[in-house]
Amino acid sequence: KVNRDAVGKFVSLGGKFTVATGRGVNTSEFISQEFEFNCPIIVNGGHTFYDYNKDKAVRNVNLPESAKEFVRVLMREFPDVGVEVYSDRKIFALHINDVLINHLSYEKCGYIETDLDEIIDLDWQKVLFEDVEEKGDELICILLSSKLSGTFQSATLAKNIVEYAQTLVKAPSKALTSE
């Protein structure tokens, strides 16, 4: 309550207010309902600038097309690892496992169960690999050793999930990168 009131006063005095989070568009929506935002919220770990007032993305940083086939190879190499693909307001679940189900249940958001070929033509902002346990380090090494489209990739391991996305700069904090 105190924070909401302070933000409301700040905005009423002409201040611009936003937040940044690693959560996806749908899983961040509750934040937009809790505070008074007068500019887009930065979601998907900085890969999407989303204006909840207009219900649209202002900017997306998408994975390159080559990443999609790379994800296909990783799904073959790691058949037990769950895969979530974030595309605009949708979350697609590939290789569903218990960790993926628990993660999306915790986030209280819906998902679409599908296979890679059904979403290959969509723009992807990020991919989560879930239930990596002892495979996490190996998966990160493979992700970072790839030179997809000559752009910078990031792979972050948090608990039992690896996040894979484009990075906006060469060496962002909280991410391991390669050139």
Side-chain angles (χ1 to χ4, degrees):
K1 173 87 172 109
V2 172
N3 288 339
R4 274 193 302 272
D5 292 345
V7 168
K9 182 170 179 134
F10 175 74
V11 170
S12 72
L13 294 171
K16 299 286 187 191
F17 180 73
T18 192
V19 296
T21 178
R23 292 174 179 265
V25 174
N26 290 350
T27 59
S28 300
E29 192 161 14
F30 77 94
I31 299 169
S32 74
Q33 296 164 354
E34 195 167 315
F35 291 95
E36 183 180 340
F37 293 96
N38 53 3
C39 50
I41 296 175
I42 304 163
V43 297
N44 281 333
H47 303 96
T48 302
F49 291 40
Y50 200 86
D51 188 335
Y52 288 93
N53 296 320
K54 296 178 182 172
D55 195 24
K56 70 175 196 171
V58 176
R59 178 170 185 219
N60 276 324
V61 177
N62 299 317
L63 283 164
E65 290 299 312
S66 55
K68 297 171 183 178
E69 290 307 317
F70 190 55
V71 168
R72 183 187 309 276
V73 170
L74 291 173
M75 288 172 58
R76 268 196 311 267
E77 292 292 316
F78 300 92
D80 298 331
V81 171
V83 179
E84 287 177 36
V85 174
Y86 287 68
S87 177
D88 300 319
R89 281 195 74 103
K90 294 185 174 93
I91 300 172
F92 296 97
L94 320 167
H95 277 201
I96 294 176
N97 62 23
D98 289 341
V99 175
L100 184 145
I101 297 290
N102 290 339
H103 176 246
L104 292 174
S105 295
Y106 173 79
E107 295 291 349
K108 297 179 178 80
C109 64
Y111 61 91
I112 300 165
E113 185 175 346
T114 190
D115 64 42
L116 187 96
D117 292 324
E118 294 296 318
I119 61 170
I120 202 79
D121 293 329
L122 300 177
D123 291 330
W124 297 5
Q125 284 79 55
K126 73 176 181 178
V127 179
L128 297 184
F129 297 95
E130 295 169 294
D131 194 17
V132 295
E133 301 221 354
E134 62 277 341
K135 297 171 259 188
D137 290 338
E138 179 183 358
L139 185 56
I140 285 178
C141 287
I142 292 170
L143 288 169
L144 296 180
S145 67
S146 173
K147 302 224 185 245
L148 298 176
S149 301
T151 57
F152 303 113
Q153 311 300 310
S154 72
T156 307
L157 178 60
K159 295 183 183 173
N160 210 6
I161 299 174
V162 171
E163 178 179 303
Y164 175 58
Q166 284 292 98
T167 60
L168 301 175
V169 294
K170 184 173 179 179
S173 62
K174 293 176 55 177
L176 302 171
T177 63
S178 73
E179 294 182 1

